[in-house]
Amino acid sequence: MATTQEKTTPCCVHNDTAKSLPPQAPPALVRKPSDDWAVAATDPSEDPSRKRSAVATMIHSFETVTDSPTTNAASTKGIPIMVRAQTSHPLDPLSTAEISVAVATVRAAGETPEVRDGMRFFEVALVEPDKNVVALADAYFFPPFQPSLLPKTKGGPVIPSKLPPRRARLVVYNKKSNETSIWIVQLSEVHAATRGGHHRGKVIWSKVVPDVQPPMDAVEYAECEAVVKDFPLFREAMKRRGIEDMDLVMVDAWCAGYHSDADAPSRRLAKPLIFCRTESDCPMENGYARPVEGIHVLVDMQNMVVIEFEDRKLVPLPPADPLRNYTPGETRGGVDRSDVKPLQIIQPEGPSFRVNGHFVQWQKWNFRIGFTPREGLVIYSVAYIDGSRGRRPVAHRLSFVEMVVPYGDPNEPHYRKNAFDAGEDGLGKNAHSLKKGCDCLGYIKYFDAHLTNFNGGVETIENCVCLHEEDHGILWKHQDWRSGLAEVRRSRRLTVSFICTVANYEYGFFWHFYQDGKIEAEVKLTGVLSLGALQPGETRKYGTTIAPGLYAPVHQHFFVARMDMAVDCKPGEGFNQVVEVNVKIKEPGKNNVHNNAFYAEEELLRSELQAMRDCNTLSARHWIVRNTRNVNRTGQLTGYKLVPGSNCLPLAGSEAKFLRRAAFLKHNLWVTPYAREEMYPGGEFPNQNPRVGEGLATWVKQNRSLEEADIVLWYVFGITHIPRLEDWPVMPVERIGFMLMPHGFFNCSPAVDVPPSAGDVEVKDNVIAVKPIQNGLIAKL
């Protein structure tokens, strides 16, 4: 993720001269005469007895992870000092220099030249620090300074003069030994700008993880395609299908999954799917329109050789469909619509959001943007500024941690199409650069993403994350019928998003922040279908025939959102609980003589096993995360509720092989107490995973208490895709998602103070002009 060069552009026009806001000055700290620690002033009138132990724990954690304090001869008792500037916030994604140092450190730690030469780097990501480290950084080290994040104690908390060193976590595969290992590298504070990029790192922990296979990499995809296309028996099989030009052939190296002991992770395997274009001089031709069926290929990805090949059934290639392509001028006989006039969205005074590094402020929201190779976009430290109540946390971390796409056709090869697109491929690693197209409209702030490649080099996805404002229709309206007077406000939302491609499908992941305190998570599915070939005259009940000799199998898409909640909780506090709400119909009787009564009934989810829940539209089921210590003006506990959107559960049988790795799909909601090692619902390595129920389904067997805890919500939502003829040759966007909505969190609607000018839209000469907010929040970046 970009840390030095950040770009803000109107629509697709670049403006690299944008400047970030100047940092604010930190509060004065007083250095103790005997060491290099500092003490912050606090309110001496507040009784600190309840929180003293928390502070002691916080300070102890720093003493164990940071360098030893150093004395400073120039320091004098009582002299105010400034905390030394920190260049990277503890939650900022790793910079290119930090990734290079981490890779070089691990490579240098290899025991032999053979080990070092065989290292392949699948993931280099930030080791996210403990929540108390983040609290300290936000309180005293990075603007806007928020000392209220730390508990107040008598005399003030002891604050170190520097933050702990940042750390990187690496997933490394050795091609020579077929071993997967995990490394933790402590990064020095030397920076590329001052030392020419020659950082020092230190390996502080490593281990070999037995019986696993890491995700596939783009380099391996390319090598696998080349190996298969060069295999003599494959060439002969394609020749029998009338194809001799290997440049037309597409080989998608799908992970083997786990269906039997033959898929065990003792070998690194891929079972490719084959497709074939019709024109070698048309790189944008939809090659997925001509699937090659009947060929079985198994590739040893460690040694990059074909180890099994069989031409099982000669299925003719589907004929070239005239509607197969999607490029301009090639659809529907080469006639594109010509009656669409220009539509522009402009913000002549700039956007209403402010960005400082990765810290975003908009309206009353603030949060940090992060990015990982596996999850892609991560939203940290989400909080709402609520008048006299100040900063009110909502969530510590929001992200999409896994997705699974099972297909419903039992025939070869479709039964084994059940990709774990995050765990087997990486959503972040497959993200797009958005600089070449208007994927977002308006005044856009882009963030770059920095990732390692297979060989340990650093690659940058420019303009990977998009931040912009959107008009979202009416926020609220009321007309007094007696006076005829009306009040109306338009809704504006702040959207943070990225888009990735995994084989034939595109997925857009969006987090929307609204002026009335809502947060919406949305996934947009588009791209092109993964198809199958049919024999002449054949039809299949497990899909839709969309062209001669061509059909689209039924399938499902499941996504898992992991939400580390913090409703009205300071970092490290565990004062949340989860309540399920169902609407009940009152039985007929003397208290319901008109037989019309219904009411909402709440049930506290006290433990993990009790909190394995499914959606129920018949009872308007939803869930509320409540703070057990804070109340609103009516005396109710403050909370945020999870409101499901459309959803589904797996339609496969309970013994389906993919559910062996994806037991987390069996319920829509799971709740766990926070544990930093519990990140991925199917375990960290789902590729060729032989273990039943690893991950979330195993963790909840501990049946830990949820009555007052640091709550993590795991929401599983999906869509069942029964393809239509209208999904060919391109699949129009389908949207699914859910809402996090304030529920008793505010004493009245946060939308009440939205001014009429906040979202007014003027249309003139085919230009939509969105009026900016007139309350001093506009910042020209």
Side-chain angles (χ1 to χ4, degrees), residues 32 35 37-40 55 58-59 62-63 136 140 150 153 155-160:
K32 297 174 68 177
D35 57 26
W37 302 82
V39 179
V55 174
M58 177 183 298
I59 301 307
F62 278 99
E63 292 174 338
L136 182 76
Y140 294 108
L150 298 181
T153 59
V158 177
I159 308 301

mmCIF file of all heavy atoms in Angstrom, residues 32 35 37-40 55 58-59 62-63 136 140 150 153 155-160:
data_model
loop_
_atom_site.group_PDB
_atom_site.id
_atom_site.type_symbol
_atom_site.label_atom_id
_atom_site.label_comp_id
_atom_site.label_asym_id
_atom_site.label_seq_id
_atom_site.Cartn_x
_atom_site.Cartn_y
_atom_site.Cartn_z
ATOM 1 N N LYS A 32 10.994 11.248 32.175
ATOM 2 C CA LYS A 32 11.536 10.926 33.488
ATOM 3 C C LYS A 32 13.053 11.041 33.440
ATOM 4 O O LYS A 32 13.680 10.679 32.448
ATOM 5 C CB LYS A 32 11.113 9.513 33.894
ATOM 6 C CG LYS A 32 9.599 9.376 34.047
ATOM 7 C CD LYS A 32 9.194 7.957 34.300
ATOM 8 C CE LYS A 32 9.666 7.479 35.656
ATOM 9 N NZ LYS A 32 9.205 6.124 35.932
ATOM 10 N N ASP A 35 15.374 7.631 32.495
ATOM 11 C CA ASP A 35 15.310 6.793 31.299
ATOM 12 C C ASP A 35 14.689 7.563 30.151
ATOM 13 O O ASP A 35 14.568 8.778 30.190
ATOM 14 C CB ASP A 35 14.516 5.503 31.586
ATOM 15 C CG ASP A 35 13.113 5.807 32.089
ATOM 16 O OD1 ASP A 35 12.572 6.889 31.763
ATOM 17 O OD2 ASP A 35 12.569 4.957 32.802
ATOM 18 N N TRP A 37 11.612 7.118 28.827
ATOM 19 C CA TRP A 37 10.178 6.966 28.774
ATOM 20 C C TRP A 37 9.532 8.302 29.095
ATOM 21 O O TRP A 37 10.146 9.181 29.673
ATOM 22 C CB TRP A 37 9.700 5.911 29.783
ATOM 23 C CG TRP A 37 10.337 4.599 29.542
ATOM 24 C CD1 TRP A 37 11.568 4.194 29.956
ATOM 25 C CD2 TRP A 37 9.799 3.512 28.805
ATOM 26 N NE1 TRP A 37 11.838 2.924 29.530
ATOM 27 C CE2 TRP A 37 10.768 2.477 28.829
ATOM 28 C CE3 TRP A 37 8.599 3.294 28.121
ATOM 29 C CZ2 TRP A 37 10.561 1.262 28.200
ATOM 30 C CZ3 TRP A 37 8.397 2.086 27.512
ATOM 31 C CH2 TRP A 37 9.361 1.084 27.551
ATOM 32 N N ALA A 38 8.284 8.473 28.726
ATOM 33 C CA ALA A 38 7.609 9.739 28.946
ATOM 34 C C ALA A 38 6.272 9.522 29.626
ATOM 35 O O ALA A 38 5.680 8.457 29.535
ATOM 36 C CB ALA A 38 7.396 10.459 27.615
ATOM 37 N N VAL A 39 5.818 10.548 30.336
ATOM 38 C CA VAL A 39 4.569 10.477 31.075
ATOM 39 C C VAL A 39 3.615 11.524 30.530
ATOM 40 O O VAL A 39 3.986 12.674 30.346
ATOM 41 C CB VAL A 39 4.801 10.717 32.584
ATOM 42 C CG1 VAL A 39 3.483 10.669 33.331
ATOM 43 C CG2 VAL A 39 5.758 9.682 33.136
ATOM 44 N N ALA A 40 2.380 11.120 30.263
ATOM 45 C CA ALA A 40 1.392 12.055 29.740
ATOM 46 C C ALA A 40 0.512 12.552 30.870
ATOM 47 O O ALA A 40 0.170 11.813 31.786
ATOM 48 C CB ALA A 40 0.523 11.374 28.675
ATOM 49 N N VAL A 55 -3.440 -0.760 32.292
ATOM 50 C CA VAL A 55 -2.266 0.036 31.920
ATOM 51 C C VAL A 55 -0.995 -0.738 32.195
ATOM 52 O O VAL A 55 -0.056 -0.747 31.397
ATOM 53 C CB VAL A 55 -2.262 1.376 32.678
ATOM 54 C CG1 VAL A 55 -0.973 2.134 32.403
ATOM 55 C CG2 VAL A 55 -3.456 2.219 32.277
ATOM 56 N N MET A 58 -0.450 -3.103 29.487
ATOM 57 C CA MET A 58 -0.030 -2.408 28.283
ATOM 58 C C MET A 58 1.457 -2.073 28.326
ATOM 59 O O MET A 58 2.204 -2.342 27.404
ATOM 60 C CB MET A 58 -0.843 -1.125 28.108
ATOM 61 C CG MET A 58 -0.430 -0.280 26.918
ATOM 62 S SD MET A 58 -1.377 1.229 26.843
ATOM 63 C CE MET A 58 -3.004 0.573 26.647
ATOM 64 N N ILE A 59 1.895 -1.503 29.428
ATOM 65 C CA ILE A 59 3.292 -1.098 29.525
ATOM 66 C C ILE A 59 4.204 -2.310 29.529
ATOM 67 O O ILE A 59 5.258 -2.317 28.909
ATOM 68 C CB ILE A 59 3.512 -0.234 30.785
ATOM 69 C CG1 ILE A 59 2.618 0.996 30.727
ATOM 70 C CG2 ILE A 59 4.962 0.158 30.928
ATOM 71 C CD1 ILE A 59 2.776 1.787 29.451
ATOM 72 N N PHE A 62 4.987 -3.529 26.112
ATOM 73 C CA PHE A 62 5.993 -2.741 25.408
ATOM 74 C C PHE A 62 7.385 -3.090 25.885
ATOM 75 O O PHE A 62 8.333 -3.175 25.118
ATOM 76 C CB PHE A 62 5.735 -1.246 25.603
ATOM 77 C CG PHE A 62 4.707 -0.732 24.663
ATOM 78 C CD1 PHE A 62 3.403 -0.567 25.073
ATOM 79 C CD2 PHE A 62 5.027 -0.476 23.354
ATOM 80 C CE1 PHE A 62 2.446 -0.117 24.193
ATOM 81 C CE2 PHE A 62 4.069 -0.023 22.469
ATOM 82 C CZ PHE A 62 2.788 0.150 22.898
ATOM 83 N N GLU A 63 7.533 -3.309 27.169
ATOM 84 C CA GLU A 63 8.857 -3.615 27.704
ATOM 85 C C GLU A 63 9.368 -4.939 27.175
ATOM 86 O O GLU A 63 10.569 -5.170 27.091
ATOM 87 C CB GLU A 63 8.791 -3.632 29.225
ATOM 88 C CG GLU A 63 8.528 -2.263 29.827
ATOM 89 C CD GLU A 63 8.316 -2.323 31.327
ATOM 90 O OE1 GLU A 63 7.970 -3.406 31.828
ATOM 91 O OE2 GLU A 63 8.504 -1.300 31.979
ATOM 92 N N LEU A 136 -1.776 3.025 21.631
ATOM 93 C CA LEU A 136 -0.714 3.961 21.980
ATOM 94 C C LEU A 136 -0.300 4.801 20.777
ATOM 95 O O LEU A 136 -0.104 6.012 20.878
ATOM 96 C CB LEU A 136 0.497 3.204 22.521
ATOM 97 C CG LEU A 136 1.637 4.123 22.966
ATOM 98 C CD1 LEU A 136 1.328 4.771 24.290
ATOM 99 C CD2 LEU A 136 2.939 3.367 23.026
ATOM 100 N N TYR A 140 -0.663 8.962 20.902
ATOM 101 C CA TYR A 140 0.450 9.888 21.087
ATOM 102 C C TYR A 140 1.420 10.005 19.917
ATOM 103 O O TYR A 140 2.249 10.909 19.903
ATOM 104 C CB TYR A 140 1.248 9.484 22.336
ATOM 105 C CG TYR A 140 0.468 9.644 23.608
ATOM 106 C CD1 TYR A 140 0.002 8.542 24.313
ATOM 107 C CD2 TYR A 140 0.162 10.909 24.097
ATOM 108 C CE1 TYR A 140 -0.720 8.686 25.479
ATOM 109 C CE2 TYR A 140 -0.566 11.071 25.266
ATOM 110 C CZ TYR A 140 -1.000 9.956 25.951
ATOM 111 O OH TYR A 140 -1.721 10.115 27.091
ATOM 112 N N LEU A 150 -6.369 5.624 25.644
ATOM 113 C CA LEU A 150 -5.701 4.924 26.733
ATOM 114 C C LEU A 150 -6.449 5.137 28.032
ATOM 115 O O LEU A 150 -6.980 6.221 28.289
ATOM 116 C CB LEU A 150 -4.262 5.418 26.885
ATOM 117 C CG LEU A 150 -3.342 5.184 25.679
ATOM 118 C CD1 LEU A 150 -1.953 5.688 25.988
ATOM 119 C CD2 LEU A 150 -3.303 3.718 25.302
ATOM 120 N N THR A 153 -5.060 6.953 34.405
ATOM 121 C CA THR A 153 -4.597 6.455 35.690
ATOM 122 C C THR A 153 -3.990 7.602 36.485
ATOM 123 O O THR A 153 -3.634 8.644 35.931
ATOM 124 C CB THR A 153 -3.535 5.357 35.521
ATOM 125 O OG1 THR A 153 -2.438 5.899 34.786
ATOM 126 C CG2 THR A 153 -4.098 4.164 34.795
ATOM 127 N N GLY A 155 -1.524 9.919 37.904
ATOM 128 C CA GLY A 155 -0.175 10.253 37.484
ATOM 129 C C GLY A 155 0.055 10.078 36.004
ATOM 130 O O GLY A 155 1.065 10.520 35.473
ATOM 131 N N GLY A 156 -0.865 9.432 35.310
ATOM 132 C CA GLY A 156 -0.719 9.254 33.868
ATOM 133 C C GLY A 156 0.008 7.978 33.516
ATOM 134 O O GLY A 156 0.854 7.483 34.257
ATOM 135 N N PRO A 157 -0.324 7.382 32.377
ATOM 136 C CA PRO A 157 0.357 6.157 31.945
ATOM 137 C C PRO A 157 1.796 6.442 31.545
ATOM 138 O O PRO A 157 2.129 7.531 31.101
ATOM 139 C CB PRO A 157 -0.469 5.702 30.737
ATOM 140 C CG PRO A 157 -1.074 6.966 30.218
ATOM 141 C CD PRO A 157 -1.336 7.831 31.408
ATOM 142 N N VAL A 158 2.650 5.457 31.702
ATOM 143 C CA VAL A 158 4.042 5.568 31.263
ATOM 144 C C VAL A 158 4.094 5.243 29.786
ATOM 145 O O VAL A 158 3.690 4.156 29.362
ATOM 146 C CB VAL A 158 4.952 4.625 32.066
ATOM 147 C CG1 VAL A 158 6.376 4.707 31.552
ATOM 148 C CG2 VAL A 158 4.886 4.982 33.543
ATOM 149 N N ILE A 159 4.585 6.163 28.993
ATOM 150 C CA ILE A 159 4.573 6.025 27.545
ATOM 151 C C ILE A 159 5.998 5.897 27.024
ATOM 152 O O ILE A 159 6.853 6.750 27.297
ATOM 153 C CB ILE A 159 3.914 7.253 26.882
ATOM 154 C CG1 ILE A 159 2.542 7.519 27.498
ATOM 155 C CG2 ILE A 159 3.802 7.045 25.379
ATOM 156 C CD1 ILE A 159 1.577 6.371 27.366
ATOM 157 N N PRO A 160 6.315 4.842 26.285
ATOM 158 C CA PRO A 160 7.659 4.739 25.696
ATOM 159 C C PRO A 160 7.867 5.810 24.643
ATOM 160 O O PRO A 160 6.932 6.298 24.034
ATOM 161 C CB PRO A 160 7.663 3.333 25.080
ATOM 162 C CG PRO A 160 6.232 3.004 24.864
ATOM 163 C CD PRO A 160 5.458 3.702 25.935
#
